[in-house]
Amino acid sequence: MIYVIGDIHGNKEKYDEMLTKLSPKDTDAVFVLGDVIDVGEDSVEILKDMMYRTNIYPVLGEHEYMAKKILPLIINAKNLDEAKAMLEGEDKENLDKWLSMKSEKTISDFLSLNEEDKESIIDYLSEFQPFEEVEANGKTFVLAHAGIDNFEDGKNLEEYAEEDFVFAKTDYSKVYFKNKYLITGHTPTVAINQKFMGKVYSKNGHIALDCGAAYGGKLAAICLDALKLTYC
Ligand SMILES: [Mn+2]
């Protein structure tokens, strides 16, 4: 079976609950659709759990994009204040931007790890893929955290930049692919259409999974083989 889980945002309770509900086998594949970290309290703990599971495949969100840019630069800082003081110019702007994305707890928890764990978190973040394309039950699915910016018909997915996938502004009224579904997180489904509050949005070749787990809503997952939804 192939599963895709939406934006977890540091909510370990819902992450654990979802994995318990899905109970993936070692031979199953669980794609985590980006924005695993920030907002919630348990980002680093979730990453540490994910990295030891061989059946979890992480997709890059803009929060991990910022993390993998900044964490290597502040790896020797003792705390957030020291991290702020050691950066300047564009690096400092990037840290400020990431902090405005509710990353303070993620950074503090990261800085309190031992050297080996810090290195393994940074290594793991580099494994997050900008997109994935998977087939299940005769259907093809493109997985991209926010969607695809600078979209051109027929353009190979490899040709897009990471930024096109993680910061995309997706037009949910537009059919991007004739024969493929586009699965995204990032945009809470309630922001696509009020009627989908707390529910997965599925229309026009889109499947949007972010049901607002970060803000008191639900964490959603889809089993691609059966197109079955699971909520926590
Ligand atoms: Mn996002």
Side-chain angles (χ1 to χ4, degrees):
M1 293 288 184
I2 301 174
Y3 302 94
V4 187
I5 303 179
D7 310 38
I8 298 164
H9 272 310
N11 191 328
K12 181 86 165 32
E13 204 176 307
K14 287 198 188 293
Y15 167 81
D16 287 339
E17 192 184 339
M18 183 58 85
L19 288 179
T20 303
K21 275 191 175 176
L22 300 179
S23 293
K25 298 190 187 76
D26 288 345
T27 50
D28 291 335
V30 180
F31 290 91
V32 170
L33 198 51
D35 287 3
V36 171
I37 63 167
D38 298 342
V39 187
E41 296 290 298
D42 316 314
S43 303
V44 170
E45 223 185 307
I46 295 169
L47 290 176
K48 284 173 77 174
D49 183 275
M50 282 171 64
M51 68 172 80
Y52 293 110
R53 293 180 187 259
T54 52
N55 54 1
I56 287 193
Y57 299 87
V59 176
L60 190 71
E62 82 278 19
H63 288 262
E64 293 81 30
Y65 173 91
M66 297 305 290
K68 72 174 184 170
K69 199 187 268 283
I70 292 160
L71 292 180
L73 304 175
I74 60 172
I75 191 164
N76 294 319
K78 285 195 191 67
N79 52 48
L80 182 56
D81 284 339
E82 212 176 289
K84 281 179 187 165
M86 69 201 289
L87 298 184
E88 44 190 36
E90 195 187 332
D91 294 337
K92 189 172 180 353
E93 280 169 29
N94 281 330
L95 175 60
D96 288 342
K97 180 180 176 188
W98 188 27
L99 281 168
S100 76
M101 293 158 66
K102 301 188 176 160
S103 65
E104 194 170 329
K105 178 74 164 44
T106 309
I107 298 172
S108 310
D109 286 356
F110 171 83
L111 293 177
S112 69
L113 296 172
N114 64 40
E115 292 307 309
E116 199 182 325
D117 284 348
K118 284 184 195 171
E119 295 285 357
S120 59
I121 292 279
I122 288 171
D123 285 348
Y124 187 57
L125 287 169
S126 71
E127 289 178 29
F128 280 58
Q129 296 298 307
F131 72 91
E132 293 276 4
E133 186 168 324
V134 294
E135 283 184 24
N137 201 13
K139 296 182 178 73
T140 306
F141 302 87
V142 173
L143 280 50
H145 172 68
I148 309 174
D149 261 354
N150 299 304
F151 182 79
E152 288 172 41
D153 242 344
K155 184 169 163 182
N156 194 322
L157 290 172
E158 306 281 349
E159 294 175 53
Y160 292 92
E162 274 189 354
E163 291 82 358
D164 288 334
F165 297 111
V166 301
F167 295 112
K169 290 206 181 348
T170 292
D171 179 355
Y172 285 92
S173 65
K174 171 179 167 159
V175 179
Y176 283 71
F177 303 104
K178 284 193 194 81
N179 305 309
K180 299 173 189 178
Y181 292 87
L182 178 58
I183 307 189
T184 51
H186 186 69
T187 305
T189 57
V190 66
I192 301 169
N193 184 326
Q194 275 279 324
K195 278 188 259 174
F196 287 86
M197 187 192 294
K199 290 183 198 154
V200 168
Y201 173 90
S202 176
K203 213 178 168 184
N204 304 324
H206 290 273
I207 298 171
L209 291 181
D210 185 359
C211 297
Y215 302 97
K218 287 177 179 154
L219 180 63
I222 185 167
C223 171
L224 299 185
D225 307 82
L227 296 180
K228 182 176 173 277
L229 302 171
T230 301
Y231 295 98
C232 290

